[in-house]
Amino acid sequence: MVSLYHYTDFNAMRGIITNGEIWLWNLRRMNDSQEMNYFIKELKSAVKKTLEPEQYAKLECLFIENLKDFNKLSSYASCFSEYSDDAAQWARYAKNGMGVCIAFNKELLEKIGAAGHAPLCKVNYSQNCDGLEIVSEIARLARSDCKNDAPECREVFNRLVTSSPLFKHPSFISEKEYRLVSLPYNVSEYLGEPHFFVEETNIKKYYILKLREVCESLSIPYHELFTQICIGPQARVTKDVLADYFASTGMSELCDKIKLSECPLRRF
């Protein structure tokens, strides 16, 4: 059985396991400042390599016309890693090791994502887009005399936008990331109305994927979604306390899945 790992704090763990919800956050507000733009930039560069200089102007017009609303779009995602007990991710995503890492059954998570309109996708960290099929498709459009807003252009660029959340800058490759990710178009149509998380200095928009409800609809025993609960290397919570908490919330099946991190992370 393959697992994927979600590093977070204990409050978010309560929301996920006890409340049966996982929140999908705006990718454009995450730690990669190039989210969704990296793929567009690299793809355009790859297409340009295949064209003659006199075709560059047409390429620019295609991108301008078909991506004019791109900066108003965003996908929403919840992120997972292939790596368990990873020092960098404890520090970055789990309150400097004071949080928790939830291991999910990958096969079940894929089924839930597909049914919940937020498919599970592997992130690509390729240095460039050379060789992708969509490169040759856009190059063909740039060589043609079709109008920039022709239906075939719209269709190709819609696929480009839909793929953009699945590419990240190679400097993030150490995260080995998977995402439950929404389509950039009509997010509310598939995931319901947005919610807002109000902080002292910020307001964050998010959508909810209702894990427990989707499990019930697919006849998946909810507790089987979780393969392990790892307490962070700097956390104050003990195994006994966490087990008591799970038992008190009707999730006693998780009590035997608790472990302590073996990561020697030092808090500075």
Side-chain angles (χ1 to χ4, degrees):
M1 177 178 60
V2 178
S3 294
L4 293 176
Y5 302 89
H6 183 73
Y7 293 80
T8 190
D9 58 49
F10 283 99
N11 189 47
M13 181 208 73
R14 176 178 60 86
I16 294 169
I17 295 177
T18 307
N19 298 344
E21 299 178 346
I22 195 159
W23 294 2
L24 278 59
W25 299 95
N26 188 337
L27 282 176
R28 291 189 185 271
R29 300 291 182 267
M30 291 191 176
N31 62 344
D32 181 356
S33 63
Q34 296 185 29
E35 279 285 8
M36 296 183 67
N37 288 299
Y38 175 73
F39 179 54
I40 305 294
K41 181 184 71 173
E42 294 300 323
L43 184 66
K44 186 176 180 180
S45 176
V47 175
K48 200 169 184 178
K49 293 176 190 176
T50 70
L51 299 177
E52 299 299 327
E54 60 267 23
Q55 295 161 341
Y56 293 170
K58 176 63 179 291
L59 178 66
E60 290 295 332
C61 290
L62 281 168
F63 272 77
I64 291 170
E65 173 63 31
N66 291 282
L67 296 179
K68 58 187 177 183
D69 295 323
F70 178 68
N71 287 330
K72 299 177 184 177
L73 297 172
S74 185
S75 283
Y76 290 76
S78 185
C79 304
F80 306 82
S81 174
E82 294 181 12
Y83 289 152
S84 66
D85 212 5
D86 180 67
Q89 296 190 74
W90 280 123
R92 185 175 292 170
Y93 302 117
K95 301 294 184 182
N96 201 28
M98 297 182 70
V100 65
C101 178
I102 305 170
F104 289 78
N105 181 309
K106 181 185 175 186
E107 181 182 357
L108 298 184
L109 198 61
E110 285 178 322
K111 292 179 179 179
I112 291 166
H117 303 289
L120 182 68
C121 303
K122 187 174 184 177
V123 172
N124 188 310
Y125 300 94
S126 176
Q127 188 71 46
N128 60 60
C129 297
D130 296 348
L132 293 182
E133 182 180 347
I134 197 168
V135 171
S136 59
E137 292 184 61
I138 296 176
R140 176 181 56 80
L141 294 174
R143 296 188 190 102
S144 74
D145 58 0
C146 69
K147 292 184 177 181
N148 296 329
D149 61 352
E152 62 179 321
C153 297
R154 294 292 190 199
E155 191 276 330
V156 170
F157 276 84
N158 283 348
R159 282 193 282 116
L160 184 161
V161 171
T162 300
S163 300
S164 63
L166 307 182
F167 286 77
K168 289 190 73 170
H169 192 276
S171 60
F172 288 89
I173 194 170
S174 63
E175 294 184 348
K176 293 293 184 181
E177 187 178 341
Y178 278 75
R179 291 172 168 175
L180 288 171
V181 60
S182 72
L183 294 173
Y185 301 106
N186 304 321
V187 180
S188 294
E189 179 181 342
Y190 297 108
L191 292 173
E193 291 303 309
H195 299 260
F196 298 89
F197 186 77
V198 180
E199 301 177 315
E200 288 185 2
T201 60
N202 197 8
I203 298 177
K204 298 178 181 178
K205 183 178 177 181
Y206 66 95
Y207 288 84
I208 293 176
L209 176 58
K210 298 181 179 179
L211 295 175
R212 192 187 293 272
E213 288 186 13
V214 178
C215 281
E216 290 176 358
S217 71
L218 297 175
S219 299
I220 296 172
Y222 182 58
H223 65 89
E224 292 184 5
L225 177 60
F226 309 104
T227 60
Q228 186 184 89
I229 313 297
C230 184
I231 297 173
Q234 295 289 343
R236 300 185 182 96
V237 176
T238 66
K239 289 178 67 174
D240 288 343
V241 168
L242 188 55
D244 287 345
Y245 170 74
F246 286 144
S248 74
T249 59
M251 294 292 292
S252 57
E253 298 92 343
L254 300 187
C255 294
D256 292 333
K257 299 180 180 182
I258 301 169
K259 66 165 287 187
L260 297 176
S261 168
E262 297 178 2
C263 174
L265 181 69
R266 175 178 292 170
R267 193 189 331 160
F268 294 97

